[in-house]
Amino acid sequence: MKKEQVLARLKEDCLVAVVRAKDLDQGEKVVDAIVAGGINFIEITMTMDDGDPVEFIAAMSKKYKDNDKIVIGAGTVLDPETARQVILAGANYVVSPGLNVETIKLCNRYRVPMLPGVMTPTEAITALEAGCDVIKIFPGNIVGPSAISSFKGPLPQGEFMPSGGVDVDNVDKWLKAGAYAVGTGSSLTKGAKTGDFGAVTAKAKEFVEAVAAARAK
């Protein structure tokens, strides 16, 4: 999928599911449960207790290659070496908890959207200058939805996606504040810890409905 298509779809869907898998088997069940709940953007993190997350990305990319709704990405990417690995494995976008300019350059080379994590205006400006189209605000629970308007005051050209602390009961506040999209992880997937993947699907549906309701206002 081309970079422009990924960004357009991200803005349209407004919702990214962050998957921190225990292992490949559990991870696949989590992804399937999330997809069943209607979330199309899946961010598979590089933090996995047992197994190779790059292999996991490759497997999910292959599994859903004929479903043009599903967009597989990689999260917790800390360096350009890992970024190249996940892109070659099939990741359509790359996300990081921090800002690494060399990682951004690598993703630009392959024309893959790179969303670096920032907490300060200086970091946001650096990300913009490096060519990032959407910037991740992380951890979102530390700063809250007002951070969007605070960033957009001096940087109206910036687009921001919060991650961390985003839940069904506050997603409307983030979108009202001007978020390009939102990322959610632990609140969405906590049912997987006890093997209750039905709860993951139910929560995914709640998120989809909450986002739709917020955008309809």
Side-chain angles (χ1 to χ4, degrees):
M1 187 177 291
K2 292 184 177 180
K3 180 179 181 179
E4 292 79 8
Q5 291 175 298
V6 174
L7 292 170
R9 282 285 312 284
L10 179 59
K11 186 173 185 179
E12 179 183 346
D13 281 32
C14 261
L15 185 57
V16 177
V18 181
V19 178
R20 296 189 185 280
K22 178 181 178 182
D23 53 43
L24 296 174
D25 180 63
Q26 187 226 35
E28 182 172 4
K29 291 176 181 176
V30 172
V31 171
D32 290 347
I34 291 169
V35 169
I39 299 179
N40 300 318
F41 272 75
I42 310 295
E43 177 191 325
I44 296 172
T45 72
M46 291 297 98
T47 49
M48 180 178 281
D49 294 338
D50 183 19
D52 183 355
V54 177
E55 179 184 337
F56 182 28
I57 288 174
M60 292 302 95
S61 297
K62 183 178 180 180
K63 181 172 184 175
Y64 286 100
K65 68 181 178 65
D66 294 326
N67 186 337
D68 58 7
K69 287 185 177 181
I70 307 306
V71 187
I72 303 294
T76 325
V77 176
L78 307 181
D79 50 62
E81 294 82 6
T82 304
R84 185 174 186 274
Q85 284 185 319
V86 298
I87 290 170
L88 295 179
N92 288 287
Y93 58 97
V94 174
V95 186
S96 177
L99 177 66
N100 182 298
V101 173
E102 293 305 313
T103 302
I104 298 171
K105 288 180 180 179
L106 185 284
C107 292
N108 286 341
R109 185 179 306 149
Y110 287 92
R111 288 194 49 75
V112 172
M114 200 282 145
L115 289 72
V118 310
M119 281 287 286
T120 69
T122 299
E123 290 177 324
I125 291 169
T126 300
L128 289 171
E129 290 176 343
C132 292
D133 295 281
V134 182
I135 300 167
K136 172 181 171 180
I137 294 179
F138 180 80
N141 56 311
I142 291 180
V143 292
S146 61
I148 300 288
S149 56
S150 295
F151 273 111
K152 278 186 168 288
L155 301 171
Q157 72 275 29
E159 298 289 359
F160 300 92
M161 183 188 85
S163 189
V166 177
D167 206 341
V168 170
D169 60 2
N170 65 18
V171 67
D172 61 324
K173 296 180 178 65
W174 283 106
L175 293 177
K176 184 179 180 181
Y180 189 89
V182 298
T184 182
S186 57
S187 66
L188 169 65
T189 62
K190 60 183 178 182
K193 292 182 179 180
T194 58
D196 189 354
F197 299 102
V200 176
T201 296
K203 193 70 170 181
K205 290 179 179 178
E206 286 184 40
F207 264 105
V208 172
E209 291 169 359
V211 167
R215 298 182 73 188
K217 292 182 180 178

